[in-house]
Amino acid sequence: MADLNAGKRRKMSDIQLRSSWSNLPDDIICLILNRLHYVDQVRFRAVCKGWRETNIKGRVKSPDKLPWMIAIDSQSSYLSSPPRTIETQACCLFDPLHQRKHTIDTSITRSGLLLNSLVVASKHGWILFGQGTGVRVFHSFFFYSPFTDEIIQVPKFHRDCRNATFTTSPVSSDCQIFAVNNCDRKIYIGIYRFGGDGSWSEFSFDVGEEYSATSDIEYVDGILYTTCFNKSVVGAFNVALKEWKVYPFPASEDHFIYCGGRLIECNGDILMAGTGENRYSYREWIVFKWDRLQMKWLETICLDGALFIGDTSVFYPILKTEEELVISEFRNTIHSCDFNKLEVEITTRCPPKLLEKLLEIYDWDSPYLLRFWIQLPELK
């Protein structure tokens, strides 16, 4: 009888202990979260309902540190040859700050959604995939978040397109998708609004012969910027005014030889990055910033942050007074990945010790094809 009562007391004690852990004060939970790596923060929040429902807004450090690289095995794309089975698809995340690699089993790799799909944009912790039947020809899209394993489907667009981007998280009603294509000396711009009526709207403008096929697009502060492969002009579509304008391509003694110039959003401004063939070697990048007052591109020598260039690109601002030494050393650096190679190339702007550290992270164990940068979403 005594043993039975002791067992009951131990059982009650265990229940009370578990209950006390699940009902920790919010301040204690926030203190714990602030000391955890981002992935551990996500796991911590998933432990129980009490921890998940804790109000952490403004009390836990934002995970807006350096963007991560995501790599999807070549067999998950229609560009691979020969195609492989769905079971062998792989998806990996690389954390450049903490030097961690995470291999994830995802809904999209299990479902086969990645077949005939290609990454077209990545922002705010979400990836926009385009689906089609040819290389860079898309007629439908879906969003995927590797951090929450969520998939959001988008209604089909009636026209094939070659470029697309979006404005903010697709879980927001403010999110807009822009899809672009050129045909018969015209540029076609499709817009899908998540808070709208569920259909695409389309606008077209005459661009003549001076504007060739679109090579890259980026949305910044109400303007959709586009570059073309012949590097002649930069197009700008004002979404509110439904107005199309063109501006000269950046003037430089160097010629852009890389995709006609990469467009990257930078603190409300637009950057264009490309590689030069005269002063610089093809591995080094030239960066221009659009000056709205002078209405021209100005070459930027010093970046107040780090630029990560891949199939998708991210600018991460870094203040001169940044407290974390490792983060501050990334200031004025450019990091680019070539999907045709098995390494990440760092420009000479990057300090040597960081170069060594980064190359350790990108220790590829299979020939990945899709490699791009992704921002970390905020914890909620």
Side-chain angles (χ1 to χ4, degrees):
M1 189 67 177
D3 291 341
L4 181 61
N5 290 334
K8 288 181 178 180
R9 285 195 297 271
R10 283 196 298 271
K11 186 175 181 181
M12 288 298 296
S13 178
D14 291 342
I15 293 174
Q16 291 170 351
L17 181 60
R18 287 196 296 270
S19 177
S20 64
W21 275 106
S22 62
N23 292 289
L24 288 174
D26 289 1
D27 290 343
I28 300 297
I29 290 178
C30 290
L31 285 173
I32 295 172
L33 283 171
N34 274 311
R35 287 165 171 77
L36 295 179
H37 176 262
Y38 179 74
V39 171
D40 296 328
Q41 287 180 339
V42 175
R43 291 170 177 166
F44 182 91
R45 297 274 286 170
V47 168
C48 66
K49 182 179 179 181
W51 293 3
R52 185 165 53 252
E53 294 181 348
T54 301
N55 180 16
I56 64 172
K57 188 174 182 179
R59 303 165 66 187
V60 176
K61 62 184 178 183
S62 175
D64 58 350
K65 298 303 181 187
L66 299 176
W68 288 15
M69 177 176 282
I70 184 169
I72 301 174
D73 205 340
S74 58
Q75 64 262 34
S76 64
S77 167
Y78 61 75
L79 295 180
S80 62
S81 180
R84 306 181 193 178
T85 60
I86 295 175
E87 288 76 16
T88 62
Q89 294 176 354
C91 186
C92 294
L93 286 165
F94 300 84
D95 176 1
L97 183 59
H98 297 90
Q99 302 181 52
R100 293 191 184 184
K101 174 183 175 181
H102 308 275
T103 300
I104 53 178
D105 178 28
T106 70
S107 298
I108 55 173
T109 57
R110 293 192 302 270
S111 66
L113 271 175
L114 287 179
L115 298 174
N116 301 323
S117 299
L118 199 65
V119 174
V120 293
S122 172
K123 294 181 180 180
H124 310 291
W126 287 86
I127 307 161
L128 179 62
F129 285 90
Q131 294 180 300
T133 56
V135 178
R136 294 210 68 88
V137 177
F138 314 115
H139 52 260
S140 61
F141 302 92
F142 69 91
F143 284 95
Y144 176 70
S145 171
F147 301 102
T148 59
D149 201 28
E150 294 177 84
I151 298 172
I152 298 178
Q153 294 284 354
V154 178
K156 285 188 176 181
F157 187 39
H158 73 91
R159 186 184 300 278
D160 286 343
C161 55
R162 293 181 178 275
N163 301 86
T165 189
F166 61 102
T167 57
T168 187
S169 168
V171 299
S172 168
S173 60
D174 297 329
C175 181
Q176 297 181 79
I177 304 174
F178 298 93
V180 175
N181 199 7
N182 304 79
C183 183
D184 300 326
R185 299 183 181 181
K186 286 181 176 290
I187 187 167
Y188 297 90
I189 302 174
I191 304 178
Y192 179 82
R193 294 180 172 86
F194 274 81
D197 60 4
S199 63
W200 287 80
S201 55
E202 185 181 59
F203 304 89
S204 63
F205 303 92
D206 294 321
V207 293
E209 295 181 354
E210 66 173 345
Y211 190 98
S212 64
T214 302
S215 62
D216 198 16
I217 67 174
E218 182 61 278
Y219 175 87
V220 179
D221 195 23
I223 307 292
L224 181 69
Y225 295 90
T226 70
T227 58
C228 53
F229 278 107
N230 65 4
K231 305 141 190 163
S232 57
V233 296
V234 177
F237 173 61
N238 188 308
V239 178
L241 301 179
K242 309 297 185 292
E243 184 178 72
W244 170 264
K245 292 183 178 181
V246 293
Y247 302 100
F249 206 76
S252 172
E253 62 187 69
D254 299 284
H255 303 289
F256 281 91
I257 60 174
Y258 188 83
C259 296
R262 291 295 185 90
L263 295 173
I264 305 111
E265 189 274 335
C266 169
N267 294 335
D269 292 315
I270 187 76
L271 299 179
M272 185 188 294
T275 50
E277 60 183 359
N278 292 334
R279 283 183 297 143
Y280 304 98
S281 72
Y282 77 96
R283 293 176 183 270
E284 294 183 340
W285 291 83
I286 311 168
V287 181
F288 290 86
K289 183 177 180 181
W290 177 248
D291 189 307
R292 299 184 186 183
L293 295 178
Q294 302 183 53
M295 300 297 286
K296 59 190 263 187
W297 295 94
L298 301 178
E299 187 171 347
T300 302
I301 304 300
C302 183
L303 294 169
D304 289 327
L307 190 56
F308 298 84
I309 301 175
D311 284 330
T312 62
S313 303
V314 177
F315 177 82
Y316 174 71
I318 300 175
L319 302 176
K320 294 180 181 179
T321 57
E322 186 75 57
E323 292 182 0
E324 293 186 61
L325 182 60
V326 174
I327 292 290
S328 64
E329 289 182 327
F330 275 83
R331 185 172 176 269
N332 198 33
T333 62
I334 301 176
H335 314 269
S336 61
C337 56
D338 187 340
F339 70 90
N340 286 320
K341 299 181 180 179
L342 298 183
E343 71 269 7
V344 172
E345 295 177 356
I346 318 293
T347 69
T348 53
R349 291 184 181 186
C350 186
K353 61 180 177 180
L354 286 180
L355 173 61
E356 182 180 346
K357 181 185 297 184
L358 285 170
L359 291 179
E360 289 177 0
I361 305 169
Y362 310 119
D363 178 19
W364 309 103
D365 51 15
S366 64
Y368 291 112
L369 173 67
L370 304 180
R371 305 173 192 179
F372 52 97
W373 302 98
I374 186 169
Q375 297 168 303
L376 274 66
E378 291 189 9
L379 285 177
K380 294 181 180 181

